[in-house]
Amino acid sequence: MGYVAVKGGTDAIANSIELVEFYRIKDETPPIHIRQLQAQFRLAIDKIMGEGSFYAPEYGALALKQVEGDVLEAAFIMRAFRATLPRLYYSAVIDTRNMFVQRRISSSFRDIPGGQILGPTYDYTQRIIDTRLADESYEQVQAFLQQFSARISETDRKAITTFGKVIDMLRAQGLLKGVGNRDDESEEGRRLVDITREAIKFPAPRSARLQMLARAETGGLMALGYSSMRGYGGVHPTVGELRVGLVDVTVSDPTGRSRYIGRVRVTEAEMITKAKTGKKSERSAGSVPYYAIGYGLCFGQNETKAICMGILDRAMRNGTKEAPANDQEFVLYHTDGIEAMGFTNHLKLPHYVTFQSGLNNVRRAVARSKKQAEANAASAPEPPMATDATASPGDAERMPSEVLTEL
Amino acid sequence: MIPSFKKFNSRFNFAFIDENTKREIRRKLLKAICLPGYQVPYSSPEMPIARGWGTGGLHVTLSVIGKDDVFKIIDQGSDASVNACNLRDFVHRVTHCRVTFDTHAATLIQTRHRIPEEQLNDGQILVFQVPQPEPLRAVERYETKTREMHGEADYARMWVSLYEAFVRYGDIMQGAGYPVMVNGRYIMSPSPIPRWDVPNLHQSDCLYLFGAGREKRLYAIPPHTDVVPLEFDDVKFRIEQFPGIRCSLSGTGGAFMDELYNDLGHFRHVINDSDFLDKLVEHKTRPQQWSNKYLQQVLDEMNANPDLES
Amino acid sequence: MTRETSYDEIFDAQAHFRLIMDSMARPGKLNVLNGVSVQPPGSLNRASALIGLALLNADVSFFAAQNADAIGTYFTANTASRPAPAAEADFLFLQGLDHPQGLEQAKSGTLTYPDTSAFIVIDVAHLSLTRDQITGPMLQLQLSGPGVDGQQTVFVAGLNDALLTTLREKNVEYPLGVDSILTDQNDRILCIPRSNRFVVGGL
């Protein structure tokens, strides 16, 4: 055992972990079963799966329970766990036209083929706190479910099919163009990267950008997406189509046969914006305006996220960095919740060596300027010219800041 | 009754990281060694430790560690810091390697923000946790551009920034993480070690590996490589000064000091490196320190004034 | 096709990687990759096979100059790595007495990403730090640069001078270049990272 109380740190951690456990269960209420969490905290778990980039609702429920309901912390646990799993297959491309649709709306048209389907949404629930839920009983749950299923007609349920896409109508009329960005048309731009297997390089191909957005933190995406709509960048899109539903996931086995491995719920947003018609020189007389889409897709039902993904996908193709939302590096480096949270919290780690190193410089600089001021006072009544930058009295009052980042 | 789930999977591989990722990190560490000071991008999968808390260091440690390694980890020079304790516990848990506080006994040392005072030898590897691997980030925020600057060895803006600090404050104001030129080619961040440690990167016997997990970069300084702190002909790099200061526990100087304050606001100095201090106090021996001209000057001054008290 | 059953993909790979890293960090330091009995196909030194087993996986590709089919099957079966043309491969397995053709085409990275370059693994007959260990024709290599304390001399038998000339040309525009590992028939390895210069003398 060393002189410094090494055991102290270990003991402190052990005690802290014990305290966490105590606070989690100290009120002696019945433990929450993760099946209950999975069933009744669906949207929290959707968020955890999306940001954790790991589709496993039961693990999401477990993670949520483990961290007392902190969604971002739970997503972190999911990411760490997923990193231990081998990448065995890449799934086949999913065509969301084949989605089993639970909700589907378009704000671009009053009516769309197949119809607007409001589905489950909190949008029109009126956010009045529901005091009846305070004493919700199992009997009430059963009564509601019985009454609800009695109203469902089996024949109607079986009649549900798939729906064509709104953007297909625009495309058929020649009003919608491809993503139309030079970087994305290049070979590198079209490369399908796996951001979990390689670090992102800039300019990042669109596949990498969309993957990063799909794992990004909802709040972060919302802040940047909102900034673009509000005026910093000017993407003000229309919801071409927003759909939530189940899609089948298949992989190819070693013999090349397609194998069904399960269904995942996803939210997909296709945001329509008017696109500029190329460079100024190309925008001469006769050039035709057209629409372009911004695309968002994430695990679970998380419409805010899918919409903001769509806005940012579009904004990042703008080709200028005049607004934060247009700037790939800015958007992608700063919206990963797991990374941002970790780095923010690392400030709690001791930094006394780093601080001492800076302190040493500042003390020397202050001493230097004091000495200089004394010398000036002794030799001449006039203060030195402001251009004497090495040691003007003004500088003495200012704390010298570090030149470079120190972390 | 709510039915239970059948089973949850929580097995993990030796050293936690899967073999595919280890191979990737190993290949990139080799590239890093072949390109001293150059930042190699890597996949940097999530660890069960938060980003910014040593994930890059852990990726390196866990990709190189074997069953026979003796592992030491320090944070701010101390084996006792909670984060060091936590990471030591994690590495031990996933590898069952021997762990030590003894700098000399370790074959693999992970560190945050310090190089041990005791000189490292050719059988040792020092792994740095790096928060911001890009030394040019303060003068250029875009990775695309800093990449180009490194590619072209176009470091003019870095020099200007150092010079501006000199003009304004009379000195290069960079504290910890002082930028260095490696092998005459790449400007590199040594991670936020104090300037005191920077000269020990030059022509060392040991291998230095750097892991920046959140930023997804690896880099290296092989042994016997030129590592020169950036300085001007008339404005020189200098290490932190502790003039006349002695450690209140060991009575000696010539090592990086911590300032400790008591409830009355009085402060005293204590040697920062916990193992070095242990050896001074408990074993009454002064371990072999690094030899560099900056430290030599400090030791010469100290020996010229042996009676000085703090 | 041989499926290596005695190779431990966790612990053998780790141990050999450490030796490769040690040799790469200290050019001129010869390490021995042993402890595992593997049965590589012809035109692949045992140490070269072990380098492949330690470092290849499905994320990277390789090129074999000689006996390409057998070596290709061997590495694909044991590492899930895939064969590729010399100009695209991440690892090139060459014979020391070969023409430097594959080497000429090897990827040497870009200025912004010089790490996207190939590793070159070259089978030679004999590596030694002393000349009296080798009989017959040999080359004397004098290495200097990062990792080398001053200068380091190595003697190599079974290596074509033209290969070294090409290697030097590949590495003229540092940081572009390739990083080489020479292996001999006694499982020794010698690394020549692109950061190092070398002078060749025939003996």
Side-chain angles (χ1 to χ4, degrees), chain B residues 30-44:
Chain B
L30 292 178
K31 285 297 176 196
I33 288 167
C34 296
L35 291 156
Y38 165 77
Q39 303 164 49
V40 183
Y42 78 113
S43 65
S44 186

Side-chain angles (χ1 to χ4, degrees), chain A residues 343 346-347 349-357 406-407, chain B residues 52-54 73-78 83 110-117 126-132 176-177 189-198 210 240 256 258 272:
Chain A
F343 199 63
H346 112 285
L347 296 177
L349 289 175
H351 280 79
Y352 52 85
V353 169
T354 324
F355 190 75
Q356 179 64 243
S357 185
E406 246 179 30
L407 300 157
Chain B
W53 294 60
I73 180 166
I74 50 173
D75 188 316
Q76 305 278 308
S78 170
N83 202 42
Q110 183 169 326
T111 179
R112 176 169 169 266
H113 302 188
R114 271 307 318 259
I115 294 176
E117 297 285 348
L126 186 63
V127 178
F128 294 79
Q129 301 174 200
V130 183
Q132 175 50 268
S189 165
S191 89
I193 54 173
R195 285 160 289 150
W196 184 275
D197 294 339
V198 168
F210 298 78
E240 293 81 359
F256 191 84
D258 291 338
N272 165 266

Side-chain angles (χ1 to χ4, degrees), chain B residues 223-256:
Chain B
H224 305 293
T225 299
D226 287 338
V227 180
V228 185
L230 301 188
E231 59 181 9
F232 300 98
D233 287 344
D234 52 344
V235 191
K236 294 294 187 191
F237 164 83
R238 48 167 95 224
I239 62 175
E240 293 81 359
Q241 306 292 311
F242 302 98
I245 288 168
R246 296 286 185 273
C247 164
S248 65
L249 293 175
S250 64
T252 187
F256 191 84

